[in-house]
Amino acid sequence: MIDRAVFAPLPRKAVEAVAGPAHEFDLYVIHLSVAVPDLTGALDMACAVARSLAFLPQLDVGSTHVSQEDNQNVRHWVFCNMILPGRQRCGRRADHHGPCDSAGVEW
């Protein structure tokens, strides 16, 4: 069992300071607006889109997040993405119950 206090999510810059950059190039964000009735629907759709496009090596699927169109500074993470030993990331949904896990992630 992983202690969440020990492996709390760190900002990308903090991880890169210790482990080096994960990407050779700068990262950019593509914003895609979707019309769904609520946040749960938006999170589900974002999960489906991210996993369906995960075959593209340029994507950082774990960093997928959702925000309202007029409030983009408030982000809701789709995946846990907590840093695990070996620099892997948890692939379970954000706010999951139980321990983090990178095994069986389909991206």
Side-chain angles (χ1 to χ4, degrees), residues 20 22 34 40 46 65 75 78 83-84 90:
V34 296
T40 300
H65 61 273
R75 300 175 183 178
V78 175
I83 300 167
L84 302 173
C90 177

Side-chain angles (χ1 to χ4, degrees), residues 2 5 9-10 15 18 25-27 34 49 55 58 60 64-65 72 85:
I2 294 176
L10 295 172
V15 173
V18 174
F25 303 103
D26 290 337
L27 297 178
V34 296
V49 169
F55 69 93
Q58 299 90 341
D60 183 2
T64 304
H65 61 273
Q72 293 185 20

Side-chain angles (χ1 to χ4, degrees), residues 16-59:
E16 289 178 356
V18 174
H23 305 281
E24 183 178 348
F25 303 103
D26 290 337
L27 297 178
Y28 292 88
V29 176
I30 298 172
H31 299 270
L32 299 171
S33 296
V34 296
V36 293
D38 54 24
L39 178 59
T40 300
L43 290 168
D44 289 345
M45 178 170 257
C47 180
V49 169
R51 290 189 179 199
S52 70
L53 295 176
F55 69 93
L56 296 169
Q58 299 90 341
L59 294 185

Side-chain angles (χ1 to χ4, degrees), residues 57-73:
Q58 299 90 341
L59 294 185
D60 183 2
V61 174
S63 67
T64 304
H65 61 273
V66 169
S67 62
Q68 286 183 311
E69 182 178 33
D70 295 331
N71 195 9
Q72 293 185 20
N73 291 325

Side-chain angles (χ1 to χ4, degrees), residues 3-4 6 17 19 22 27-28 35-36 39 41 69 76 78-79 82 89 92 97 99-100 103 105-107:
D3 182 359
R4 286 188 175 272
V6 173
L27 297 178
Y28 292 88
V36 293
L39 178 59
E69 182 178 33
H76 303 273
V78 175
F79 301 104
M82 185 175 292
R89 295 205 176 243
R92 298 181 69 190
H97 298 288
C100 290
V105 176
E106 296 179 7
W107 66 58

